Amino acid sequence: MTGRFRAGVRDGRATSTGQGGRPAICAQGRHGRRAGKAAMPGHSGTARVLTSFRACLAGSPATWTCALIFCAVLVRICVAQPQASAGQGSQAAFSPLPARPHGDPAKIALGRMLFFDRRISRSQKLSCASCHDLDTNGASAAAMDRGDSGRATAWNTPTLFNSVHNFRFGWKGSTRSLRAFTLQALTTDHLMGGKDLAARRFAADPDMLRRFRKLYGSLPSDGAVADALTAFIGTLVTVDAPFDRWLGGDRTALSPRQQRGLNRFNVLGCASCHQGANLGGNIFQRRGIFHPLGKPDPRYLRVPSLRNVAVTPPYFHDGSVASLPEAVRQMGRAQLDLAISDRDAADIAAFLTALTGRYEGTRLRRAAPGHAR
């Protein structure tokens, strides 16, 4: 097999041709679709793993660890239950979202107050909720939001819902803890730019001063503000997604079309990167392995979670795609070298709607254009 292959779709199934016109192993493997049943890639899918491995190693030595993590996940999927059904196969790659974390109620309450407080920004015009709308999708409808400086941000704003379950933070994944990422957002000039201004403002507020002294035994500080915000953000976990009910054994939770979408999601190889409880957020990946995808930099990104993805357009790190089926097609071409059919893209998008959960009893929905708080 060559290190690269071309793939197409026939009658809703992925096909590929290797060197000399011979079939090449693709994400579907040899187990394919039989008697109406979906199958995860079998042992022959190891060749596909090696193809992706070589592609990942095309980067610098600093990226090899990411490549090894990625391929370890691929191996896990390729060898798990070769002839499983869509429901059985899904349990090999995914797990239900963990319950909402517990924490200090007083700290969480303070964090909630700070989340909506504009005093944390230099100009006092922005709060966390300005870009992360908790009444809709935990993000915004903009391709790029604007920070306190008025400049467009470098990245599309990701949702904060379920971010506590990511293993790294930010699109580049350069921050290892949610607290560090929150502190970075508070102090970076082109985001909030508050530095110690917010702490001084809260110290001048008798009620806030009392709360910080009671919780932290000291005056407000940037670190304490970030700590309280982190406690609150950690509770932003969505529940009751249909897919979680499916994973729990409720075979009525997904519609027939969503089940077909789950089948194709697994068979085409989407679950190679989007797996686990958050369907992503737990590995790094080279962007545009086979074809360009979005802006050229950076080359390596933390794989985003697909939780609530149906309500968080626009998509990708640059917010360049508005349609979920189109995002599926572009990902298939760029990351898997697959030409995904319109039907498969629509079915996969239908499955992804089953990842939309509830927060405080309300199903998440798309943010309205121009949202600002």
Side-chain angles (χ1 to χ4, degrees):
M1 171 183 172
T2 60
R4 179 178 175 116
F5 62 89
R6 288 285 181 182
V9 176
R10 297 174 184 167
D11 301 324
R13 292 182 295 173
T15 62
S16 60
T17 303
Q19 193 173 29
R22 293 173 296 180
I25 302 299
C26 71
Q28 184 171 341
R30 294 179 182 171
H31 296 286
R33 190 174 183 177
R34 296 178 178 172
K37 291 186 178 182
M40 296 291 286
H43 294 284
S44 59
T46 303
R48 177 63 173 160
V49 174
L50 294 175
T51 299
S52 297
F53 183 68
R54 295 187 189 105
C56 290
L57 289 182
S60 65
T63 65
W64 292 355
T65 299
C66 301
L68 290 170
I69 294 173
F70 165 64
C71 289
V73 174
L74 278 175
V75 169
R76 176 189 174 195
I77 293 172
C78 286
V79 302
Q81 301 183 4
Q83 299 187 15
S85 69
Q88 293 169 334
S90 68
Q91 294 186 24
F94 313 115
S95 59
L97 200 62
R100 175 174 167 170
H102 296 289
D104 183 339
K107 187 179 291 187
I108 293 170
L110 176 59
R112 180 187 286 270
M113 294 175 63
L114 295 172
F115 192 88
F116 295 97
D117 198 317
R118 296 172 187 253
R119 288 177 291 180
I120 65 171
S121 63
R122 177 178 292 275
S123 68
Q124 302 190 69
K125 294 180 180 179
L126 297 179
S127 70
C128 301
S130 298
C131 298
H132 298 283
D133 182 11
L134 301 188
D135 290 334
T136 57
N137 65 359
S140 77
M144 301 292 176
D145 287 301
R146 293 192 176 274
D148 190 75
S149 66
R151 292 162 43 198
T153 55
W155 315 98
N156 174 256
T157 301
T159 181
L160 283 182
F161 285 116
N162 306 312
S163 60
V164 68
H165 297 307
N166 292 335
F167 88 129
R168 297 286 189 276
F169 299 89
W171 280 98
K172 294 176 69 174
S174 56
T175 308
R176 290 176 173 267
S177 75
L178 183 56
R179 184 184 182 280
F181 186 72
T182 303
L183 183 60
Q184 179 179 306
L186 290 174
T187 57
T188 300
D189 286 339
H190 68 276
L191 293 178
M192 288 302 188
K195 295 189 177 177
D196 63 342
L197 285 175
R200 294 207 305 267
R201 289 166 184 160
F202 295 136
D205 180 328
D207 179 60
M208 281 292 189
L209 178 60
R210 177 184 59 80
R211 290 174 183 271
F212 276 95
R213 278 183 167 164
K214 182 176 181 180
L215 280 170
Y216 297 100
S218 63
L219 293 174
S221 65
D222 285 345
V225 171
D227 186 70
L229 280 169
T230 301
F232 172 62
I233 294 170
T235 69
L236 301 180
V237 173
T238 55
V239 299
D240 193 37
F243 188 50
D244 286 326
R245 299 201 303 271
W246 170 270
L247 290 174
D250 180 0
R251 288 298 176 259
T252 67
L254 300 186
S255 70
R257 188 176 196 184
Q258 288 172 328
Q259 292 180 44
R260 289 196 303 270
L262 171 58
N263 174 4
R264 304 311 289 158
F265 187 88
N266 284 332
V267 170
L268 295 179
C270 307
S272 300
C273 291
H274 295 286
Q275 29 64 35
N278 238 5
L279 280 84
N282 57 356
I283 61 171
F284 290 98
Q285 180 54 285
R286 178 182 161 195
R287 182 179 50 77
I289 293 176
F290 295 104
H291 302 280
L293 180 67
K295 291 182 179 179
D297 294 318
R299 193 176 189 185
Y300 291 85
L301 295 172
R302 175 188 56 79
V303 173
S305 165
L306 293 183
R307 289 281 178 178
N308 304 302
V309 68
V311 297
T312 57
Y315 301 109
F316 303 148
H317 65 294
D318 57 359
S320 59
V321 175
S323 161
L324 187 53
E326 178 59 22
V328 170
R329 281 189 289 268
Q330 289 197 25
M331 284 293 293
R333 182 174 186 272
Q335 302 302 111
L336 298 170
D337 206 21
L338 294 173
I340 296 180
S341 71
D342 289 345
R343 179 186 177 183
D344 278 354
D347 287 349
I348 290 172
F351 159 63
L352 295 176
T353 66
L355 302 178
T356 305
R358 296 178 184 271
Y359 175 65
E360 295 186 338
T362 301
R363 185 76 60 187
L364 267 61
R365 54 189 172 86
R366 294 188 178 197
H371 162 78
R373 296 185 64 170

